[in-house]
Amino acid sequence: MLDNLLAWRAFLAVAKTGAISVAARLLDLDSAAVSHMVAEIEQALGYALFDRSKRPFKLTPRGRVVADTVNPLSSGLLDLRELFDEDTNSFITVAAPTDPNQCYLHDQLFQYSLEHPGVHFYLRSACSVEDVLSGRIDIALIDCPIASPELVIRFCIQAVAVPLASRGYVERCGEPKTIEDLKNHTGLLLRQGMHQRTSYLYDSAGEISPALKWKNVFMTDAQLTLNHMMLEGLGIVVDCVPQHLLPQLESGEVVPVLRGWRRKPQEFSIVTRRDREGLSDELHAFALWWCRKEKEAARERTRKADALLFSLFGKG
C-alpha cells in the first residue's frame, strides 16, 4: 500500500478537506475506498494519521509530518505522469513466464524498441487471462488460455520437457530406470497458470505412465527456480524444457533420465484483448511481430535441443 500513489492522494485529500466523503468526491472515488486506503496506510506505518474523534478530521502530529513529506513527492509524481501522458511514445505492458522472460524475451523487446523508437515496454512476470481482460496487461504469453470472444489468441509455442537431473545427483542418488523408481527420488515440480502439477508422463507412442510417486516433492511457479535447484543436485525435474539448458546438457552437467518418457507438452499463446488491440496500431503490430518472432525462435531452439537429446540418447 505504501507504493500506491492513489492511496497517498486519498490521504492528502482527507488531510486537506478533513472529510472522507469530500475527499472521495474530489478523487471521483467511493467513500469506502478512500477510507480503506487511508486505513491501510496507517496499518502499514503502524500509527494513526488522523484524530477521528472530531469533525472535521485533524492530522495527528505524526500525520502532519507525513503530509509535509508526501505532498511534494505526490505532486512531482503527478507531474511526471502527466508528462508521460502527453508524450507520443507508446508503452506496452508485456507479461510472460519467468523462463522466457529472463532467458531471451528481454533481448527481443529491447531490439524491437530500438527498431521502433516510439514504442517502449514494461515487462512483467507471468499473468492470467483475467489480467489481460482487466486491462492490467496489454499482451501476454499464456499457457493454454481459455477461449473468449473478448480475446485475440495466437498460438506460438509447444514446450516439450523431459525428465532431467544433474550428473552429481545421479552419481549420489542413482538414476531411476522406471517410473516406479521415482518413489526413491525428490521431484522438483512446476505449478504455473493453467499447468497443474505433472502427475503423468508419456512415451513416444503417446502411452501414459503410471502416476508419478515421489519420496519428496518441491513445487514452485518459477521454472528457473527448478533449473537452479536441479543444477544444485537437489532432485529430478520433469517440467524444464531442454532448450534452456543446452550448455549444461552439452557439458554433461545435466543428463536426461527415464529415457523415452516426457511431460505432456505445454501450449503457449500470445493473448491480447480484442478491443484494445483494435484501437492500438502499435499493439497490433507488436502482437504480429512477437508471434512470428517467437515461432521462429522456438523452432530453432527446439531443433537444437532435439538434436542434442538424440545424440545423448544414442550414447545409451
Side-chain angles (χ1 to χ4, degrees), residues 39-100:
E40 284 205 325
I41 290 177
E42 291 179 316
Q43 183 178 3
L45 292 175
Y47 49 79
L49 297 172
F50 294 99
D51 178 1
R52 292 172 170 79
S53 64
K54 301 176 183 178
R55 296 293 188 277
F57 289 169
K58 297 294 183 182
L59 287 165
T60 63
R62 284 182 169 179
R64 283 194 295 273
V65 173
V66 172
D68 290 342
T69 303
V70 171
N71 190 46
L73 297 175
S74 175
S75 299
L77 287 171
L78 287 173
D79 291 341
L80 183 61
R81 188 173 69 178
E82 290 175 3
L83 175 64
F84 279 114
D85 287 344
E86 293 171 359
D87 198 344
T88 56
N89 291 335
S90 297
F91 285 84
I92 297 176
T93 303
V94 181
T98 53
D99 41 320

Side-chain angles (χ1 to χ4, degrees), residues 207-223:
E207 294 296 322
I208 190 169
S209 73
L212 307 186
K213 297 181 180 180
W214 302 90
K215 180 180 180 181
N216 299 298
V217 168
F218 178 89
M219 196 155 46
T220 179
D221 63 356
Q223 192 176 82

